[in-house]
Each structure stands twice: as C-alpha cells, then as structure tokens.
C-alpha cells in the first residue's frame, strides 16, 4: 500500500476517524434537496470507496434513514456530515469530500440531481450533469424529501 492510495478523514471534533486504502471509485456532487438539508450546504460532494478498502478507525457515525433505501452518517458528538449508505451500492461507502483530510486529492466525475439545484449556486466546470441520477451507478433515489 503506497501513501498515494491512502485517504484519511474524520469529523470536526475528532470523535470519528476513517481510512480508505485505495483510490475512490468515483466522485459526485449532488444537488438534491435531501443532501442540502443533511449538509446545510447548497450541494454535497461525495467520493465512493470500496467497502473492503474502507474502515472506521475511531468511532462510527450514527445513521439516519433518509429514505427506504439509504442512510446518512453523521457524528453524534459534533454533527458533521460524513457518509451515505445506499442499499443498491452495498459494495461501497460514500464519504463526504469535506470530511477528507486532503480533499484536493480526489476528483469529481459529475453532478447529479441538477433539476433541484439552487439557481444562484453555479459551479463552472465541464463535468457531465444529470437532471436526476447519473447513469454511472445504480440507484433507487427519487429525489424527494
């Protein structure tokens, strides 16, 4: 395992720490209303790590079932938004880019749920945009809140 493939991060207060020992499978910026409400931000960026290459080093997030098919992880001490766990993507854990120690090391592949994007929030990049889910991964999300 090289240093280049290790990614670490955690919550604001340090109660939860994690490590991934492989590069992310993909990165996405989600503009859906549920991600906005969960994060308190106009969009939420995630990277997907293979479950087998990911571990919680110290503590684990509490989970909130945000839909019939997904749970969102957060620190029960400081409230930091940390993860997403979708039933159809059980082979991976989705980690918030903002919780990474070095978020600049990951890449974002696309934007999803842009039909719910806040009109004044614009990211000037050339990445693919999807009105709902990306065609790159399976989903049961319907974008409702």
């Amino acid at each position: 395992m090289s240093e280049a493939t290790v990614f670490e991060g955690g919550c604001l207060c340090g109660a939860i720490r994690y490590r991934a020992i492989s590069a992310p499978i993909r990165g996405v910026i989600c503009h859906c209303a549920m991600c906005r409400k969960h994060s308190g931000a106009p969009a939420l960026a995630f990277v997907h790590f293979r479950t087998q290459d990911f571990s919680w080093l110290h503590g684990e997030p509490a989970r909130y079932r945000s839909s019939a098919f997904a749970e969102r992880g957060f620190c029960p001490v400081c409230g930091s938004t940390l993860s997403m766990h979708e039933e159809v993507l059980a082979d991976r854990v989705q980690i918030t880019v903002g919780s990474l120690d070095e978020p600049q090391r990951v890449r974002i592949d696309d934007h999803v749920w842009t039909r719910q994007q806040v009109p004044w929030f614009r990211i000037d990049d050339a990445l693919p945009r999807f009105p709902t889910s990306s065609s790159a991964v399976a989903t049961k999300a319907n974008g409702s809140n």
Side-chain angles (χ1 to χ4, degrees):
M1 167 175 55
S2 79
E3 236 178 78
T5 59
V6 175
F7 292 83
E8 291 189 350
C11 66
L12 179 63
C13 73
I16 299 176
R17 293 288 301 162
Y18 60 79
R19 175 183 296 144
I21 58 169
S22 64
I25 299 167
R26 70 183 312 267
V28 62
I29 297 174
C30 185
H31 297 269
C32 83
M34 283 198 291
C35 280
R36 285 197 312 271
K37 289 195 180 270
H38 184 60
S39 67
L44 185 54
F46 291 100
V47 287
H48 298 208
F49 290 107
R50 294 179 344 161
T51 302
Q52 66 197 44
D53 296 338
F54 183 87
S55 59
W56 299 106
L57 300 174
H58 183 260
E60 284 196 32
R63 291 188 184 189
Y64 170 72
R65 181 159 291 281
S66 57
S67 74
F69 310 108
E71 294 179 334
R72 294 169 184 270
F74 61 95
C75 175
V77 178
C78 67
S80 293
T81 302
L82 295 170
S83 60
M84 174 83 136
H85 310 269
E86 291 185 72
E87 178 184 285
V88 296
L89 299 174
D91 64 330
R92 61 187 73 186
V93 59
Q94 298 170 60
I95 294 297
T96 56
V97 171
S99 71
L100 288 163
D101 292 343
E102 300 175 282
Q104 70 279 6
R105 291 181 52 216
V106 300
R107 75 171 198 285
I108 298 297
D109 297 300
D110 55 37
H111 294 261
V112 297
W113 290 97
T114 58
R115 76 175 186 196
Q116 293 182 3
Q117 183 173 340
V118 176
W120 50 258
F121 185 69
R122 297 282 179 219
I123 299 172
D124 187 20
D125 62 31
L127 296 175
R129 284 166 162 69
F130 297 89
T132 59
S133 298
S134 166
S135 57
V137 295
T139 187
K140 290 187 178 179
N142 66 12
S144 63
N145 53 352

